[in-house]
Amino acid sequence: MDNYLVSLDKLKKKCDCEVFESKTTEDLSTSRELIGQDRAMEALKYGLSISRKGYNIYVSGFTGTGRNSYSHLVTKKFADKKDAPKDWCYVYNFKKPSSPKAISLKTGQGKLFKKDVDTVIKKLVLEIPKALDSKEYENSRNLTYTVYQKKAKNILAELNDLANEYNFVFRQTENGILSIPLKDGKPITDEELNNMSKEEIEALTNTSNELNHKAYDYVRRIKKVENDFNTEMKKLKESKVIEVLDQYVTPLIEKYDENQKIREYLNDMKDDIVKNYEGFLGKDNERQVQGFPFMINSEEDTMKRYEINLFMDNSYKKKAPVVKEMNPTYYNLFGKIDYINQFGGYKTDHTQIKPGSLHEANGGYIILQVKDILQSGKTWESLKRALITEQLKVENITGLNIISETLSPEPIPLDIKVILIGDFKIYQLLYNYDDDFKKLFKIRTDFDIEMDRNLENIRKIGSFVAYQCKEQNLKPFDNTGLATIIEYSSRLAAHQDKLTARFNDLVEIIYEADQWANIRDKSIVTKDEVNIAIEKRDFRNNIHEEKMTEAIESGIIIIDTKGEKIGEINGLSVVNIGQYMFGRPNKITVNTFAGKEGIINIEREVKQSGSIHDKGVLILGGYLGEKYAKDFPLTLTASITFEQSYGGIDGDSASSTELYALLSSLSGKPIKQSIAVTGSVNQKGFIQPIGGVNEKIEGYYKICKLKGLTGEKGIIIPHQNIQNLMLKDEVIEAVRNNKFRIYAVRTIDEGIEILTRIKAGKLNNNNQYEKGTINYLVQEKLRNYAELSKSYK
């Protein structure tokens, strides 16, 4: 049996302290370089280098592999090679006020343009009233007034000549031209009018009607003169306003002549000011709403439309932006239109258009967490639409639009590279069920969870630790501490020739080891502090394991570690509680008897078994039939169960264990209870590797230690799992002192010999198994069951 023992040198791959080029990290070169992710880095850099539509990037991998920090770091390097993006402004649309215009400017010009326009408007507020109050304007106004007044008086004189024939006179009042009857050459008084008889009043009315009829043409001529005067006065005012605009706005148009949209906007603004110059005169208009008087400043309303909304000011950016949006809600990404509550109603304007992080990143890169963005279907769909159309449109999708005015701003061209961070499962779901995703995210970069344990990577981890010590002001690590970290890294990777790429786990141990050095008042972190940090980390999280151990010690959970029993065996499973994994022994029992039910998986019958475990049990029937029942029908009933198991069971790592117990029950030979087993099996009887081998071994070792290490206790593992062994020193020391044994097997035959101390047996020339062997006894029992089944038909 000793041939199957795993040698001491294979229980853990030590790290030689001398591989590091210095005694402590103080003398090591520091590096933040991503280690062991060459494939991921190549894919990421390739995706970032392609400036084509649809070549956005999906970064997959587990948390802690550096996918977030290094995606940002590499993206930043690419961004530093690109120029800063343009500035963007939203301005009032004089032709369609509900659709503000978007204007792009060279980087840094946005705030200059806004300042220029603000300065001009402030000057116009002062200069337009001055121009309309100047002596020159007054002279022109008086001259025009005199000319048209003279025209009106001449027509009125002609009208009064006609009125004299009817003993009337026409006077011009605030209410227009009125006809007044005369008496003795003077306008009749109210008293005289009241003293008239009915007949006199009737006669006077008829005369007035006749006169008014004849006077209509004269009155029309006077009104035309008035209208001509008003028109001429308006032209005079507008000409004065234009003179002011030519002085202040025209130079601004010339300054931004190269920008067509600015030129168009300033010309439209100029025309609008000419039409609405009254707003620059500073007069307040009183209006009535729901019976309550209030004042609205017409100047403020007018001035608002000339205000520039500096939507994106990139003057502070030297290179292309890289934005990490940690809360990618719709409005955080796409911006929004704010509203102002005014007298119970909501109003808005172009100055209330606010940018989102996509606008901040436009011209550069944005990094998003896929889980966060998928929580809102509207956000995900809107992001895809923006990438497809290559346009960014600000619009509110919920809220105030129903009860208030709304805007439809002009979209902004979108030039951006999106980097989504997520896991592989979400990638597969999106790739299989979202056609747009395939077209938009053509590059996938996958961060691995492990890397090769070679000299280069070992030294790089040393430089990584040195970088952490420098950046985080930690105590230096000596080479024994670094070697222990390398061994712990292989332990996390569960492979002697691999190192973990989940650097978050390493960083936590580095920080905690530094703290233990502080507690122990040491100036350098050694392997002792690293080991304490690992042990204390386990201790903080192993309460569930301790409770289970207590239950085994008290006999509540029945686990036998001595003696021999037929159809009973100790299997091993792994319990994962997040930051901590531990191995748990399970007693597996098998009963066999005559019948035709086959192998009954009790866990499956009570729906506590997963599909993978069910598959493992079904494989046992294939193994029995192929190995023992080629010349007779396989007829038996066997019940298999995990004793004292009250939760779900899945996985096939106990399939070989179940098969050993089944063979014991059929052969009638007992199994040594001191040896636990893990490993899956195929239908041909070959043992297959499993996960969590270190935790399983150490979990069973703790139980054996609790019940007394006699030298007979041990565990059987698949031969392939030797390369995964990174056991704790305590277990290795027990093996060294012959107090604990670890066997590695390739086949069921090898394992059953260890468990029963009886030969498995091989087929002889007569195609029969050797008498007295396990296989012979099993075959004979199955043959007996087959004969029994015939007799009971």
Side-chain angles (χ1 to χ4, degrees):
M1 298 301 104
D2 291 347
N3 294 334
Y4 302 120
L5 287 173
V6 180
S7 61
L8 275 171
D9 62 317
K10 294 182 179 179
L11 299 182
K12 181 179 185 178
K13 189 172 183 178
K14 295 278 189 178
C15 177
D16 185 0
C17 302
E18 300 304 319
V19 300
F20 300 102
E21 299 169 324
S22 175
K23 293 296 183 182
T24 72
T25 53
E26 282 184 315
D27 301 321
L28 284 179
S29 60
T30 62
S31 174
R32 199 188 172 192
E33 176 190 357
L34 184 61
I35 309 168
Q37 300 287 2
D38 295 341
R39 185 195 305 273
M41 286 297 97
E42 181 180 334
L44 181 60
K45 291 176 181 178
Y46 181 69
L48 290 170
S49 67
I50 300 179
S51 300
R52 293 286 185 271
K53 182 178 180 180
Y55 280 87
N56 298 291
I57 303 167
Y58 187 100
V59 179
S60 61
F62 286 95
T63 302
T65 55
R67 59 180 187 174
N68 282 292
S69 57
Y70 284 96
S71 292
H72 181 266
L73 190 66
V74 174
T75 304
K76 190 71 173 64
K77 290 180 180 179
F78 273 81
D80 289 342
K81 299 175 184 178
K82 296 177 64 176
D83 294 332
K86 297 178 180 179
D87 291 347
W88 284 93
C89 295
Y90 269 110
V91 298
Y92 186 80
N93 188 339
F94 298 100
K95 296 175 182 176
K96 190 177 180 182
S98 63
S99 299
K101 289 185 176 181
I103 295 178
S104 67
L105 302 94
K106 293 179 181 178
T107 308
Q109 277 194 349
K111 62 181 181 181
L112 297 178
F113 175 59
K114 176 178 173 62
K115 183 179 179 181
D116 286 343
V117 173
D118 289 346
T119 301
V120 165
I121 295 300
K122 288 177 182 177
K123 288 181 178 179
L124 294 179
V125 170
L126 297 174
E127 298 300 327
I128 289 178
K130 285 182 182 180
L132 297 180
D133 198 31
S134 65
K135 191 169 184 66
E136 181 186 354
Y137 170 76
E138 285 297 324
N139 291 338
S140 298
R141 181 182 180 281
N142 290 337
L143 179 62
T144 304
Y145 178 78
T146 300
V147 171
Y148 281 93
Q149 188 183 43
K150 184 176 180 181
K151 289 182 180 181
K153 284 183 177 180
N154 290 338
I155 298 172
L156 185 61
E158 294 178 19
L159 181 58
N160 278 326
D161 289 341
L162 174 64
N164 283 334
E165 298 177 8
Y166 291 87
N167 203 23
F168 271 77
V169 67
F170 280 92
R171 298 280 176 86
Q172 193 163 15
T173 68
E174 292 180 356
N175 297 323
I177 299 174
L178 297 178
S179 60
I180 303 173
L182 300 174
K183 185 176 182 180
D184 298 330
K186 297 180 180 180
I188 194 169
T189 64
D190 290 340
E191 184 180 353
E192 291 173 337
L193 189 61
N194 291 333
N195 291 333
M196 284 185 177
S197 63
K198 184 178 181 181
E199 291 77 8
E200 288 175 326
I201 291 175
E202 186 176 345
L204 185 63
T205 300
N206 291 334
T207 302
S208 177
N209 290 337
E210 184 179 347
L211 175 61
N212 289 336
H213 180 71
K214 292 183 177 182
Y216 174 77
D217 185 57
Y218 294 92
V219 173
R220 184 179 59 79
R221 287 167 58 196
I222 291 173
K223 287 184 177 180
K224 183 177 183 306
V225 170
E226 290 176 350
N227 290 336
D228 290 344
F229 171 73
N230 290 333
T231 301
E232 194 65 26
M233 288 304 300
K234 183 178 180 182
K235 288 181 180 179
L236 178 61
K237 290 180 180 180
E238 289 179 352
S239 67
K240 289 297 178 182
V241 172
I242 290 173
E243 288 178 11
V244 177
L245 293 174
D246 286 340
Q247 182 179 355
Y248 293 103
V249 179
T250 301
L252 198 59
I253 296 175
E254 294 172 355
K255 180 178 179 179
Y256 294 96
D257 185 64
E258 293 181 358
N259 193 316
Q260 181 182 350
K261 295 198 76 172
I262 290 182
R263 192 170 65 247
E264 291 175 356
Y265 167 72
L266 291 176
N267 281 318
D268 289 344
M269 182 182 79
K270 187 176 178 181
D271 294 340
D272 187 76
I273 292 174
V274 172
K275 296 176 184 177
N276 300 283
Y277 64 85
E278 292 92 345
F280 287 79
L281 304 181
K283 295 180 180 179
D284 289 340
N285 299 321
E286 186 172 304
R287 299 180 183 178
Q288 193 84 5
V289 173
Q290 296 180 354
F292 294 94
F294 65 95
M295 303 300 293
I296 294 182
N297 191 303
S298 59
E299 179 184 351
E300 180 182 348
D301 284 353
T302 303
M303 295 304 107
K304 199 72 173 178
R305 70 174 68 185
Y306 308 122
E307 186 175 334
I308 304 299
N309 179 0
L310 182 52
F311 186 69
M312 277 310 307
D313 176 18
N314 292 314
S315 59
Y316 63 92
K317 296 175 182 174
K318 303 300 181 184
K319 299 297 180 181
V322 179
V323 176
K324 291 176 70 175
E325 178 53 69
M326 304 309 294
N327 184 25
T329 62
Y330 177 86
Y331 292 117
N332 283 353
L333 278 179
F334 294 94
K336 65 186 296 188
I337 303 171
D338 282 342
Y339 290 84
I340 300 172
N341 189 338
Q342 189 174 77
F343 305 103
Y346 290 92
K347 63 176 296 184
T348 190
D349 58 66
H350 68 284
T351 65
Q352 299 301 315
I353 305 172
K354 309 299 181 184
S357 53
L358 283 173
H359 299 98
E360 293 281 349
N362 200 10
Y365 309 85
I366 188 168
I367 301 174
L368 303 170
Q369 300 296 321
V370 69
K371 278 187 178 180
D372 295 333
I373 198 169
L374 288 178
Q375 288 179 353
S376 170
K378 290 182 179 178
T379 305
W380 174 240
E381 292 301 322
S382 298
L383 176 62
K384 291 190 298 179
R385 189 181 307 113
L387 293 174
I388 291 170
T389 62
E390 297 182 299
Q391 287 187 333
L392 267 179
K393 184 173 177 63
V394 182
E395 57 184 344
N396 290 357
I397 55 175
T398 58
L400 300 172
N401 294 3
I402 300 174
I403 60 173
S404 61
E405 60 186 58
T406 187
L407 298 176
S408 180
E410 181 182 1
I412 289 176
L414 180 63
D415 175 21
I416 198 170
K417 180 83 71 173
V418 179
I419 298 100
L420 286 182
I421 310 290
D423 58 39
F424 182 69
K425 287 183 179 180
I426 294 179
Y427 176 84
Q428 287 295 99
L429 287 171
L430 290 172
Y431 191 86
N432 291 327
Y433 297 103
D434 192 328
D435 291 335
D436 292 334
F437 177 79
K438 298 178 185 178
K439 300 174 184 176
L440 296 173
F441 292 86
K442 296 181 179 179
I443 300 294
R444 184 174 78 89
T445 174
D446 193 12
F447 277 67
D448 202 350
I449 61 171
E450 62 185 23
M451 56 184 152
D452 291 337
R453 179 173 168 172
N454 52 39
L455 181 61
E456 180 185 2
N457 287 338
I458 288 173
R459 287 180 173 173
K460 283 182 177 180
I461 289 180
S463 296
F464 172 78
V465 176
Y467 172 83
Q468 293 295 327
C469 292
K470 180 180 178 181
E471 291 297 311
Q472 302 299 326
N473 195 27
L474 307 177
K475 296 180 185 299
F477 281 62
D478 72 359
N479 54 11
T480 66
L482 293 177
T484 306
I485 288 175
I486 295 298
E487 293 170 5
Y488 181 67
S489 179
S490 286
R491 163 82 178 205
L492 293 177
H495 200 292
Q496 294 179 352
D497 296 323
K498 299 290 183 181
L499 296 170
T500 184
R502 302 178 77 162
F503 285 94
N504 276 6
D505 295 333
L506 294 184
V507 168
E508 290 175 8
I509 293 299
I510 293 169
Y511 291 168
E512 292 174 23
D514 172 76
Q515 180 60 23
W516 279 108
N518 287 332
I519 293 172
R520 304 179 80 194
D521 197 23
K522 295 183 67 175
S523 60
I524 295 179
V525 183
T526 68
K527 67 176 183 179
D528 293 334
E529 286 71 47
V530 176
N531 282 326
I532 291 173
I534 296 170
E535 290 169 7
K536 293 298 183 181
R537 180 183 176 87
D538 290 345
F539 177 74
R540 292 196 300 270
N541 296 286
N542 70 357
I543 186 171
H544 295 286
E545 182 182 22
E546 286 193 359
K547 296 293 184 184
M548 184 208 70
T549 303
E550 290 175 4
I552 293 175
E553 183 179 17
S554 63
I556 296 174
I557 297 177
I558 302 172
I559 298 291
D560 295 317
T561 60
K562 60 183 179 179
E564 298 180 347
K565 292 187 178 181
I566 296 174
E568 294 187 25
I569 193 169
N570 291 326
L572 294 167
S573 61
V574 171
V575 179
N576 190 337
I577 56 174
Q579 287 190 327
Y580 187 68
M581 286 173 46
F582 64 92
R584 174 190 170 176
N586 298 95
K587 178 177 282 292
I588 298 173
T589 62
V590 176
N591 287 332
T592 55
F593 42 91
K596 297 182 179 180
E597 298 297 325
I599 300 174
I600 300 172
N601 176 9
I602 293 178
E603 273 70 34
R604 179 184 180 185
E605 298 302 314
V606 296
K607 299 181 179 178
Q608 286 187 351
S609 176
S611 58
I612 297 176
H613 181 254
D614 293 340
K615 176 184 176 183
V617 174
L618 292 173
I619 284 174
L620 305 186
Y623 173 82
L624 293 179
E626 200 260 354
K627 182 141 187 160
Y628 303 112
K630 288 185 176 180
D631 55 358
F632 60 86
L634 181 64
T635 56
L636 86 157
T637 299
S639 64
I640 301 177
T641 188
F642 278 65
E643 301 292 354
Q644 293 183 289
S645 172
Y646 308 107
I649 294 175
D650 203 4
D652 63 351
S653 64
S655 58
S656 69
T657 316
E658 293 167 325
L659 182 52
Y660 290 136
L662 181 60
L663 296 178
S664 169
S665 178
L666 289 170
S667 66
K669 298 300 181 181
I671 286 176
K672 294 179 68 67
Q673 301 299 292
S674 58
I675 300 176
V677 179
T678 184
S680 70
V681 65
N682 65 22
Q683 290 190 110
K684 302 298 182 179
F686 290 101
I687 303 299
Q688 301 170 145
I690 44 81
V693 65
N694 292 299
E695 289 77 13
K696 290 177 178 178
I697 293 172
E698 291 165 358
Y700 189 64
Y701 168 80
K702 289 178 182 178
I703 301 304
C704 292
K705 180 182 176 183
L706 184 70
K707 298 199 172 189
L709 293 171
T710 61
E712 293 184 355
K713 296 180 175 64
I715 184 172
I716 296 175
I717 64 171
H719 183 269
Q720 301 94 319
N721 282 122
I722 292 177
Q723 63 184 350
N724 304 114
L725 294 178
M726 288 297 296
L727 294 170
K728 293 181 178 179
D729 290 342
E730 181 183 353
V731 179
I732 296 174
E733 195 61 27
V735 173
R736 188 192 310 278
N737 296 327
N738 294 317
K739 293 182 178 180
F740 192 74
R741 294 169 175 259
I742 300 174
Y743 301 92
V745 298
R746 291 179 171 84
T747 66
I748 287 294
D749 284 351
E750 293 176 355
I752 198 66
E753 288 181 352
I754 296 171
L755 292 167
T756 63
R757 294 294 192 269
I758 299 173
K759 287 179 63 177
K762 296 181 180 180
L763 290 172
N764 56 28
N765 294 333
N766 297 324
N767 206 29
Q768 299 290 325
Y769 289 108
E770 302 170 66
K771 288 187 177 182
T773 62
I774 296 294
N775 288 332
Y776 173 81
L777 296 172
V778 170
Q779 189 176 53
E780 289 303 307
K781 178 60 69 70
L782 292 175
R783 194 187 305 276
N784 183 41
Y785 285 161
E787 293 297 327
L788 284 173
S789 66
K790 292 180 183 178
S791 62
Y792 283 95
K793 281 186 178 181

